Amino acid sequence: MTSEPIPFLDLCTPHRELEAELLQLVQQAFRTAGFIGGPMLEAFERAFAEFCSTRYCVGVSSGTDALRFAPMAAGIGNGDTVVTVPNTFIATTEAITQAGAQPEFVDIDERTYTMDVDKLREYLETMCWPDSTTRSVISHRTGKRLAAIIPVHLYGQMADMDTILGLAERYNLVVIEDACQAHGAEYFSKRQTRSYTAGSMGRAAAFSFYPGKNLGACGEAGAVTTNDEELARTIRMLRDHGQAKKYYHEIEGYNGKLDAIQAGILQIKLGHLAEWNEKRRTCAQRYQEMLGSAEGIILPYEGSSGKAVYHLYVVRVHNRDELQRRLTAAAIGTGIHYPIPLHQQSAYRTLGYKRGDFPITERLAAEILSLPMFPGLTPAQQSRVVEQVLEFVGLTTAQAA
Ligand SMILES: *Cc1c(COP(=O)(O)O)cnc(C)c1O
């Protein structure tokens, strides 16, 4: 075969295109030795808050730190339970545990792959007791107060925030968005009759700028967005050893700052994010047109009123591993997000969940495959991917018939 390999994700091209500008930025940091804090960081924080339509953005050292600091700053910790989904990256639950709380799961929706809000309601009504003293609820399983919900805007699509926020109000719960895959995604709220950007609906939201995310640094980076001034202040302290003034430690914190050079790099790339997201959406539409009528494959579902930013393009097929092998043999990169649900991970054996507890997540884990998706993916590359996929599902559906 003479065809060029098709990467799952092309991180080289954007850096080649922006190289001169990025190098100049690094040089400027060298000349001023402004590596920690300072104007580059503050400028990026202002710009990203504006992009998300929030009042505050606090840069931190990773998405995981953002996910840890947000609940901590909201007073969630020892003796609390936090509910999230089992189909996510482990950082979501690491953050809950490391904040001192215990994670619990509800299953995902079979179409959107984000939190199933009917299951969330059922969980609140049947698996929690009302606690008359605090207007909140106590989880049967953990025997601890349920303090927060962390919905994950998976693959670039926002969870059903209207219902989640409604339930959170009723049960006195904090909502923290895991927006690590959803920079610039939008959700149309029927309650408020307006659109919201990811990161602006919860009490706070966590973003990751890991290199492969829709907005990625050249290393580790993350941020918390919020409209809550006090929360922003606390997170600024948490990322910097609990100090607002040097060597005056109001609380014990962490070393979780965002480097100035990374902030400067992110600021340059942020200028391209809207256009990159549009390109991802165009690629998704093209996949949809090329694969749309095929039997034996389930394509991503996007509700009519929101706007997904396709961090990943995830399809479902039977014999997924076989399709992945076929694509690998044709030099086409793929991924699986995620192969083992969190409740079945060895790390979470102590949570006491078993196979069958979250059937949608479990079924999906065996069937999902992430196809190449990045802003520079060309129609010709997509045709080659689609050709392989169609041949495969044609063969397997013929066998099944
Ligand atoms: C990437 C990611 C994280 C973690 O972000 P890091 O910057 O790698 O720490 C958390 N949650 C989700 C859903 C992610 O995709």
PDB file of all heavy atoms in Angstrom, residues 120-151:
ATOM      1  N   LEU A 120     -30.574   9.678  36.784  1.00  0.00           N
ATOM      2  CA  LEU A 120     -30.166  10.566  37.882  1.00  0.00           C
ATOM      3  C   LEU A 120     -31.358  10.825  38.802  1.00  0.00           C
ATOM      4  O   LEU A 120     -31.241  10.740  40.033  1.00  0.00           O
ATOM      5  CB  LEU A 120     -29.617  11.887  37.324  1.00  0.00           C
ATOM      6  CG  LEU A 120     -29.254  12.948  38.373  1.00  0.00           C
ATOM      7  CD1 LEU A 120     -28.093  12.486  39.262  1.00  0.00           C
ATOM      8  CD2 LEU A 120     -28.900  14.285  37.705  1.00  0.00           C
ATOM      9  N   ARG A 121     -32.519  11.100  38.194  1.00  0.00           N
ATOM     10  CA  ARG A 121     -33.726  11.363  38.980  1.00  0.00           C
ATOM     11  C   ARG A 121     -34.087  10.119  39.805  1.00  0.00           C
ATOM     12  O   ARG A 121     -34.357  10.208  40.996  1.00  0.00           O
ATOM     13  CB  ARG A 121     -34.886  11.756  38.060  1.00  0.00           C
ATOM     14  CG  ARG A 121     -36.132  12.182  38.832  1.00  0.00           C
ATOM     15  CD  ARG A 121     -37.285  12.570  37.932  1.00  0.00           C
ATOM     16  NE  ARG A 121     -37.045  13.768  37.153  1.00  0.00           N
ATOM     17  CZ  ARG A 121     -36.839  13.807  35.837  1.00  0.00           C
ATOM     18  NH1 ARG A 121     -36.856  12.689  35.130  1.00  0.00           N
ATOM     19  NH2 ARG A 121     -36.633  14.945  35.223  1.00  0.00           N
ATOM     20  N   GLU A 122     -34.026   8.964  39.136  1.00  0.00           N
ATOM     21  CA  GLU A 122     -34.344   7.708  39.818  1.00  0.00           C
ATOM     22  C   GLU A 122     -33.377   7.468  40.988  1.00  0.00           C
ATOM     23  O   GLU A 122     -33.780   7.053  42.069  1.00  0.00           O
ATOM     24  CB  GLU A 122     -34.220   6.590  38.783  1.00  0.00           C
ATOM     25  CG  GLU A 122     -34.708   5.247  39.215  1.00  0.00           C
ATOM     26  CD  GLU A 122     -34.442   4.215  38.114  1.00  0.00           C
ATOM     27  OE1 GLU A 122     -34.936   4.387  36.976  1.00  0.00           O
ATOM     28  OE2 GLU A 122     -33.693   3.251  38.380  1.00  0.00           O
ATOM     29  N   TYR A 123     -32.107   7.749  40.744  1.00  0.00           N
ATOM     30  CA  TYR A 123     -31.098   7.597  41.795  1.00  0.00           C
ATOM     31  C   TYR A 123     -31.439   8.500  42.990  1.00  0.00           C
ATOM     32  O   TYR A 123     -31.406   8.063  44.143  1.00  0.00           O
ATOM     33  CB  TYR A 123     -29.717   7.941  41.218  1.00  0.00           C
ATOM     34  CG  TYR A 123     -28.658   8.258  42.245  1.00  0.00           C
ATOM     35  CD1 TYR A 123     -27.975   7.242  42.921  1.00  0.00           C
ATOM     36  CD2 TYR A 123     -28.342   9.581  42.542  1.00  0.00           C
ATOM     37  CE1 TYR A 123     -27.017   7.551  43.871  1.00  0.00           C
ATOM     38  CE2 TYR A 123     -27.376   9.893  43.488  1.00  0.00           C
ATOM     39  CZ  TYR A 123     -26.718   8.875  44.155  1.00  0.00           C
ATOM     40  OH  TYR A 123     -25.778   9.178  45.092  1.00  0.00           O
ATOM     41  N   LEU A 124     -31.788   9.752  42.706  1.00  0.00           N
ATOM     42  CA  LEU A 124     -32.089  10.698  43.785  1.00  0.00           C
ATOM     43  C   LEU A 124     -33.340  10.282  44.547  1.00  0.00           C
ATOM     44  O   LEU A 124     -33.428  10.433  45.769  1.00  0.00           O
ATOM     45  CB  LEU A 124     -32.268  12.109  43.209  1.00  0.00           C
ATOM     46  CG  LEU A 124     -30.975  12.762  42.698  1.00  0.00           C
ATOM     47  CD1 LEU A 124     -31.280  13.958  41.797  1.00  0.00           C
ATOM     48  CD2 LEU A 124     -30.098  13.197  43.869  1.00  0.00           C
ATOM     49  N   GLU A 125     -34.321   9.729  43.806  1.00  0.00           N
ATOM     50  CA  GLU A 125     -35.593   9.397  44.440  1.00  0.00           C
ATOM     51  C   GLU A 125     -35.569   8.058  45.163  1.00  0.00           C
ATOM     52  O   GLU A 125     -36.255   7.883  46.165  1.00  0.00           O
ATOM     53  CB  GLU A 125     -36.718   9.390  43.386  1.00  0.00           C
ATOM     54  CG  GLU A 125     -37.087  10.811  42.959  1.00  0.00           C
ATOM     55  CD  GLU A 125     -38.056  10.841  41.775  1.00  0.00           C
ATOM     56  OE1 GLU A 125     -38.413   9.751  41.271  1.00  0.00           O
ATOM     57  OE2 GLU A 125     -38.426  11.957  41.364  1.00  0.00           O
ATOM     58  N   THR A 126     -34.787   7.095  44.641  1.00  0.00           N
ATOM     59  CA  THR A 126     -34.864   5.752  45.219  1.00  0.00           C
ATOM     60  C   THR A 126     -33.595   5.299  45.924  1.00  0.00           C
ATOM     61  O   THR A 126     -33.629   4.327  46.670  1.00  0.00           O
ATOM     62  CB  THR A 126     -35.198   4.704  44.127  1.00  0.00           C
ATOM     63  OG1 THR A 126     -34.105   4.645  43.218  1.00  0.00           O
ATOM     64  CG2 THR A 126     -36.463   5.059  43.368  1.00  0.00           C
ATOM     65  N   MET A 127     -32.464   5.964  45.663  1.00  0.00           N
ATOM     66  CA  MET A 127     -31.220   5.491  46.269  1.00  0.00           C
ATOM     67  C   MET A 127     -30.639   6.485  47.265  1.00  0.00           C
ATOM     68  O   MET A 127     -29.504   6.345  47.713  1.00  0.00           O
ATOM     69  CB  MET A 127     -30.209   5.132  45.186  1.00  0.00           C
ATOM     70  CG  MET A 127     -30.776   4.001  44.321  1.00  0.00           C
ATOM     71  SD  MET A 127     -29.667   3.380  43.092  1.00  0.00           S
ATOM     72  CE  MET A 127     -28.316   2.776  44.046  1.00  0.00           C
ATOM     73  N   CYS A 128     -31.425   7.507  47.577  1.00  0.00           N
ATOM     74  CA  CYS A 128     -31.000   8.507  48.572  1.00  0.00           C
ATOM     75  C   CYS A 128     -32.151   8.748  49.541  1.00  0.00           C
ATOM     76  O   CYS A 128     -33.313   8.593  49.181  1.00  0.00           O
ATOM     77  CB  CYS A 128     -30.653   9.825  47.874  1.00  0.00           C
ATOM     78  SG  CYS A 128     -29.236   9.731  46.761  1.00  0.00           S
ATOM     79  N   TRP A 129     -31.832   9.102  50.795  1.00  0.00           N
ATOM     80  CA  TRP A 129     -32.864   9.497  51.748  1.00  0.00           C
ATOM     81  C   TRP A 129     -32.837  11.007  51.928  1.00  0.00           C
ATOM     82  O   TRP A 129     -31.761  11.572  51.976  1.00  0.00           O
ATOM     83  CB  TRP A 129     -32.668   8.988  53.153  1.00  0.00           C
ATOM     84  CG  TRP A 129     -31.840   7.807  53.466  1.00  0.00           C
ATOM     85  CD1 TRP A 129     -30.486   7.683  53.409  1.00  0.00           C
ATOM     86  CD2 TRP A 129     -32.332   6.574  53.964  1.00  0.00           C
ATOM     87  NE1 TRP A 129     -30.110   6.450  53.845  1.00  0.00           N
ATOM     88  CE2 TRP A 129     -31.235   5.738  54.202  1.00  0.00           C
ATOM     89  CE3 TRP A 129     -33.627   6.097  54.247  1.00  0.00           C
ATOM     90  CZ2 TRP A 129     -31.359   4.457  54.705  1.00  0.00           C
ATOM     91  CZ3 TRP A 129     -33.734   4.833  54.750  1.00  0.00           C
ATOM     92  CH2 TRP A 129     -32.611   4.018  54.969  1.00  0.00           C
ATOM     93  N   PRO A 130     -33.992  11.577  52.150  1.00  0.00           N
ATOM     94  CA  PRO A 130     -33.987  12.998  52.493  1.00  0.00           C
ATOM     95  C   PRO A 130     -33.378  13.204  53.877  1.00  0.00           C
ATOM     96  O   PRO A 130     -33.616  12.400  54.774  1.00  0.00           O
ATOM     97  CB  PRO A 130     -35.468  13.396  52.481  1.00  0.00           C
ATOM     98  CG  PRO A 130     -36.248  12.147  52.334  1.00  0.00           C
ATOM     99  CD  PRO A 130     -35.335  11.008  52.044  1.00  0.00           C
ATOM    100  N   ASP A 131     -32.595  14.249  54.019  1.00  0.00           N
ATOM    101  CA  ASP A 131     -32.013  14.588  55.319  1.00  0.00           C
ATOM    102  C   ASP A 131     -32.723  15.860  55.784  1.00  0.00           C
ATOM    103  O   ASP A 131     -32.479  16.939  55.260  1.00  0.00           O
ATOM    104  CB  ASP A 131     -30.506  14.822  55.157  1.00  0.00           C
ATOM    105  CG  ASP A 131     -29.851  15.255  56.456  1.00  0.00           C
ATOM    106  OD1 ASP A 131     -30.535  15.232  57.500  1.00  0.00           O
ATOM    107  OD2 ASP A 131     -28.664  15.628  56.416  1.00  0.00           O
ATOM    108  N   SER A 132     -33.594  15.688  56.764  1.00  0.00           N
ATOM    109  CA  SER A 132     -34.501  16.788  57.128  1.00  0.00           C
ATOM    110  C   SER A 132     -33.754  18.022  57.625  1.00  0.00           C
ATOM    111  O   SER A 132     -34.227  19.140  57.472  1.00  0.00           O
ATOM    112  CB  SER A 132     -35.492  16.302  58.185  1.00  0.00           C
ATOM    113  OG  SER A 132     -34.775  15.623  59.196  1.00  0.00           O
ATOM    114  N   THR A 133     -32.557  17.842  58.193  1.00  0.00           N
ATOM    115  CA  THR A 133     -31.883  19.001  58.773  1.00  0.00           C
ATOM    116  C   THR A 133     -31.222  19.900  57.734  1.00  0.00           C
ATOM    117  O   THR A 133     -31.068  21.085  57.944  1.00  0.00           O
ATOM    118  CB  THR A 133     -30.799  18.561  59.793  1.00  0.00           C
ATOM    119  OG1 THR A 133     -29.965  17.599  59.150  1.00  0.00           O
ATOM    120  CG2 THR A 133     -31.423  17.974  61.026  1.00  0.00           C
ATOM    121  N   THR A 134     -30.820  19.341  56.589  1.00  0.00           N
ATOM    122  CA  THR A 134     -30.032  20.147  55.651  1.00  0.00           C
ATOM    123  C   THR A 134     -30.709  20.385  54.298  1.00  0.00           C
ATOM    124  O   THR A 134     -30.118  20.993  53.422  1.00  0.00           O
ATOM    125  CB  THR A 134     -28.679  19.461  55.363  1.00  0.00           C
ATOM    126  OG1 THR A 134     -28.952  18.162  54.808  1.00  0.00           O
ATOM    127  CG2 THR A 134     -27.842  19.326  56.607  1.00  0.00           C
ATOM    128  N   ARG A 135     -31.924  19.916  54.109  1.00  0.00           N
ATOM    129  CA  ARG A 135     -32.596  20.051  52.810  1.00  0.00           C
ATOM    130  C   ARG A 135     -31.840  19.299  51.706  1.00  0.00           C
ATOM    131  O   ARG A 135     -32.093  19.482  50.538  1.00  0.00           O
ATOM    132  CB  ARG A 135     -32.751  21.540  52.428  1.00  0.00           C
ATOM    133  CG  ARG A 135     -33.962  21.816  51.525  1.00  0.00           C
ATOM    134  CD  ARG A 135     -34.167  23.307  51.315  1.00  0.00           C
ATOM    135  NE  ARG A 135     -33.087  23.955  50.578  1.00  0.00           N
ATOM    136  CZ  ARG A 135     -32.969  23.948  49.265  1.00  0.00           C
ATOM    137  NH1 ARG A 135     -33.842  23.331  48.502  1.00  0.00           N
ATOM    138  NH2 ARG A 135     -31.959  24.572  48.669  1.00  0.00           N
ATOM    139  N   SER A 136     -30.876  18.455  52.094  1.00  0.00           N
ATOM    140  CA  SER A 136     -30.168  17.669  51.085  1.00  0.00           C
ATOM    141  C   SER A 136     -30.533  16.195  51.252  1.00  0.00           C
ATOM    142  O   SER A 136     -31.459  15.860  51.987  1.00  0.00           O
ATOM    143  CB  SER A 136     -28.661  17.901  51.184  1.00  0.00           C
ATOM    144  OG  SER A 136     -28.232  17.720  52.510  1.00  0.00           O
ATOM    145  N   VAL A 137     -29.811  15.312  50.563  1.00  0.00           N
ATOM    146  CA  VAL A 137     -30.109  13.891  50.665  1.00  0.00           C
ATOM    147  C   VAL A 137     -28.861  13.111  51.051  1.00  0.00           C
ATOM    148  O   VAL A 137     -27.732  13.566  50.850  1.00  0.00           O
ATOM    149  CB  VAL A 137     -30.679  13.326  49.338  1.00  0.00           C
ATOM    150  CG1 VAL A 137     -32.094  13.844  49.092  1.00  0.00           C
ATOM    151  CG2 VAL A 137     -29.774  13.637  48.164  1.00  0.00           C
ATOM    152  N   ILE A 138     -29.104  11.924  51.598  1.00  0.00           N
ATOM    153  CA  ILE A 138     -28.006  11.038  51.993  1.00  0.00           C
ATOM    154  C   ILE A 138     -28.062   9.791  51.116  1.00  0.00           C
ATOM    155  O   ILE A 138     -29.139   9.223  50.910  1.00  0.00           O
ATOM    156  CB  ILE A 138     -28.134  10.660  53.484  1.00  0.00           C
ATOM    157  CG1 ILE A 138     -27.905  11.914  54.341  1.00  0.00           C
ATOM    158  CG2 ILE A 138     -27.135   9.569  53.860  1.00  0.00           C
ATOM    159  CD1 ILE A 138     -28.245  11.746  55.789  1.00  0.00           C
ATOM    160  N   SER A 139     -26.926   9.400  50.576  1.00  0.00           N
ATOM    161  CA  SER A 139     -26.873   8.229  49.712  1.00  0.00           C
ATOM    162  C   SER A 139     -26.983   6.950  50.534  1.00  0.00           C
ATOM    163  O   SER A 139     -26.274   6.783  51.515  1.00  0.00           O
ATOM    164  CB  SER A 139     -25.564   8.238  48.923  1.00  0.00           C
ATOM    165  OG  SER A 139     -25.240   6.938  48.507  1.00  0.00           O
ATOM    166  N   HIS A 140     -27.888   6.040  50.111  1.00  0.00           N
ATOM    167  CA  HIS A 140     -28.009   4.726  50.749  1.00  0.00           C
ATOM    168  C   HIS A 140     -26.678   3.986  50.772  1.00  0.00           C
ATOM    169  O   HIS A 140     -26.309   3.375  51.745  1.00  0.00           O
ATOM    170  CB  HIS A 140     -28.928   3.815  49.910  1.00  0.00           C
ATOM    171  CG  HIS A 140     -30.361   4.008  50.155  1.00  0.00           C
ATOM    172  ND1 HIS A 140     -30.992   3.584  51.283  1.00  0.00           N
ATOM    173  CD2 HIS A 140     -31.323   4.582  49.384  1.00  0.00           C
ATOM    174  CE1 HIS A 140     -32.277   3.876  51.202  1.00  0.00           C
ATOM    175  NE2 HIS A 140     -32.504   4.492  50.059  1.00  0.00           N
ATOM    176  N   ARG A 141     -26.055   3.958  49.617  1.00  0.00           N
ATOM    177  CA  ARG A 141     -24.835   3.181  49.392  1.00  0.00           C
ATOM    178  C   ARG A 141     -23.707   3.588  50.300  1.00  0.00           C
ATOM    179  O   ARG A 141     -23.045   2.769  50.892  1.00  0.00           O
ATOM    180  CB  ARG A 141     -24.356   3.485  47.973  1.00  0.00           C
ATOM    181  CG  ARG A 141     -24.461   2.446  46.971  1.00  0.00           C
ATOM    182  CD  ARG A 141     -23.667   2.917  45.761  1.00  0.00           C
ATOM    183  NE  ARG A 141     -22.451   2.141  45.684  1.00  0.00           N
ATOM    184  CZ  ARG A 141     -22.404   0.889  45.302  1.00  0.00           C
ATOM    185  NH1 ARG A 141     -23.496   0.276  44.928  1.00  0.00           N
ATOM    186  NH2 ARG A 141     -21.266   0.243  45.272  1.00  0.00           N
ATOM    187  N   THR A 142     -23.473   4.932  50.345  1.00  0.00           N
ATOM    188  CA  THR A 142     -22.289   5.425  51.052  1.00  0.00           C
ATOM    189  C   THR A 142     -22.637   5.853  52.477  1.00  0.00           C
ATOM    190  O   THR A 142     -21.752   6.016  53.304  1.00  0.00           O
ATOM    191  CB  THR A 142     -21.679   6.635  50.331  1.00  0.00           C
ATOM    192  OG1 THR A 142     -22.629   7.709  50.340  1.00  0.00           O
ATOM    193  CG2 THR A 142     -21.318   6.297  48.889  1.00  0.00           C
ATOM    194  N   GLY A 143     -23.922   6.089  52.728  1.00  0.00           N
ATOM    195  CA  GLY A 143     -24.322   6.605  54.035  1.00  0.00           C
ATOM    196  C   GLY A 143     -23.868   8.043  54.259  1.00  0.00           C
ATOM    197  O   GLY A 143     -23.888   8.547  55.376  1.00  0.00           O
ATOM    198  N   LYS A 144     -23.445   8.684  53.163  1.00  0.00           N
ATOM    199  CA  LYS A 144     -22.929  10.055  53.288  1.00  0.00           C
ATOM    200  C   LYS A 144     -23.788  11.039  52.514  1.00  0.00           C
ATOM    201  O   LYS A 144     -24.450  10.663  51.537  1.00  0.00           O
ATOM    202  CB  LYS A 144     -21.497  10.113  52.724  1.00  0.00           C
ATOM    203  CG  LYS A 144     -20.500   9.302  53.533  1.00  0.00           C
ATOM    204  CD  LYS A 144     -19.170   9.238  52.809  1.00  0.00           C
ATOM    205  CE  LYS A 144     -18.141   8.425  53.599  1.00  0.00           C
ATOM    206  NZ  LYS A 144     -16.926   8.218  52.812  1.00  0.00           N
ATOM    207  N   ARG A 145     -23.720  12.295  52.925  1.00  0.00           N
ATOM    208  CA  ARG A 145     -24.483  13.360  52.282  1.00  0.00           C
ATOM    209  C   ARG A 145     -24.085  13.475  50.811  1.00  0.00           C
ATOM    210  O   ARG A 145     -22.895  13.478  50.470  1.00  0.00           O
ATOM    211  CB  ARG A 145     -24.172  14.690  52.983  1.00  0.00           C
ATOM    212  CG  ARG A 145     -24.828  15.904  52.328  1.00  0.00           C
ATOM    213  CD  ARG A 145     -24.374  17.202  52.996  1.00  0.00           C
ATOM    214  NE  ARG A 145     -23.034  17.598  52.571  1.00  0.00           N
ATOM    215  CZ  ARG A 145     -22.746  18.779  52.006  1.00  0.00           C
ATOM    216  NH1 ARG A 145     -23.687  19.677  51.792  1.00  0.00           N
ATOM    217  NH2 ARG A 145     -21.503  19.072  51.669  1.00  0.00           N
ATOM    218  N   LEU A 146     -25.084  13.561  49.945  1.00  0.00           N
ATOM    219  CA  LEU A 146     -24.800  13.820  48.539  1.00  0.00           C
ATOM    220  C   LEU A 146     -24.612  15.325  48.385  1.00  0.00           C
ATOM    221  O   LEU A 146     -25.492  16.109  48.745  1.00  0.00           O
ATOM    222  CB  LEU A 146     -25.950  13.335  47.653  1.00  0.00           C
ATOM    223  CG  LEU A 146     -25.704  13.515  46.162  1.00  0.00           C
ATOM    224  CD1 LEU A 146     -24.578  12.623  45.682  1.00  0.00           C
ATOM    225  CD2 LEU A 146     -26.970  13.239  45.360  1.00  0.00           C
ATOM    226  N   ALA A 147     -23.427  15.723  47.895  1.00  0.00           N
ATOM    227  CA  ALA A 147     -23.099  17.148  47.874  1.00  0.00           C
ATOM    228  C   ALA A 147     -23.081  17.733  46.468  1.00  0.00           C
ATOM    229  O   ALA A 147     -23.315  18.935  46.293  1.00  0.00           O
ATOM    230  CB  ALA A 147     -21.729  17.369  48.532  1.00  0.00           C
ATOM    231  N   ALA A 148     -22.779  16.927  45.460  1.00  0.00           N
ATOM    232  CA  ALA A 148     -22.578  17.515  44.134  1.00  0.00           C
ATOM    233  C   ALA A 148     -22.844  16.518  43.018  1.00  0.00           C
ATOM    234  O   ALA A 148     -22.820  15.301  43.221  1.00  0.00           O
ATOM    235  CB  ALA A 148     -21.142  18.041  44.013  1.00  0.00           C
ATOM    236  N   ILE A 149     -23.090  17.082  41.841  1.00  0.00           N
ATOM    237  CA  ILE A 149     -23.187  16.305  40.595  1.00  0.00           C
ATOM    238  C   ILE A 149     -22.070  16.807  39.682  1.00  0.00           C
ATOM    239  O   ILE A 149     -21.896  18.020  39.524  1.00  0.00           O
ATOM    240  CB  ILE A 149     -24.524  16.547  39.868  1.00  0.00           C
ATOM    241  CG1 ILE A 149     -25.717  16.374  40.812  1.00  0.00           C
ATOM    242  CG2 ILE A 149     -24.656  15.647  38.641  1.00  0.00           C
ATOM    243  CD1 ILE A 149     -27.047  16.833  40.193  1.00  0.00           C
ATOM    244  N   ILE A 150     -21.324  15.888  39.094  1.00  0.00           N
ATOM    245  CA  ILE A 150     -20.359  16.283  38.059  1.00  0.00           C
ATOM    246  C   ILE A 150     -20.780  15.653  36.733  1.00  0.00           C
ATOM    247  O   ILE A 150     -20.452  14.506  36.441  1.00  0.00           O
ATOM    248  CB  ILE A 150     -18.908  15.870  38.408  1.00  0.00           C
ATOM    249  CG1 ILE A 150     -18.497  16.457  39.766  1.00  0.00           C
ATOM    250  CG2 ILE A 150     -17.948  16.347  37.306  1.00  0.00           C
ATOM    251  CD1 ILE A 150     -17.021  16.279  40.121  1.00  0.00           C
ATOM    252  N   PRO A 151     -21.528  16.397  35.911  1.00  0.00           N
ATOM    253  CA  PRO A 151     -21.841  15.900  34.572  1.00  0.00           C
ATOM    254  C   PRO A 151     -20.607  16.081  33.680  1.00  0.00           C
ATOM    255  O   PRO A 151     -19.857  17.042  33.854  1.00  0.00           O
ATOM    256  CB  PRO A 151     -22.986  16.802  34.097  1.00  0.00           C
ATOM    257  CG  PRO A 151     -22.891  18.047  34.924  1.00  0.00           C
ATOM    258  CD  PRO A 151     -22.129  17.714  36.182  1.00  0.00           C
TER     259      PRO A 151
END
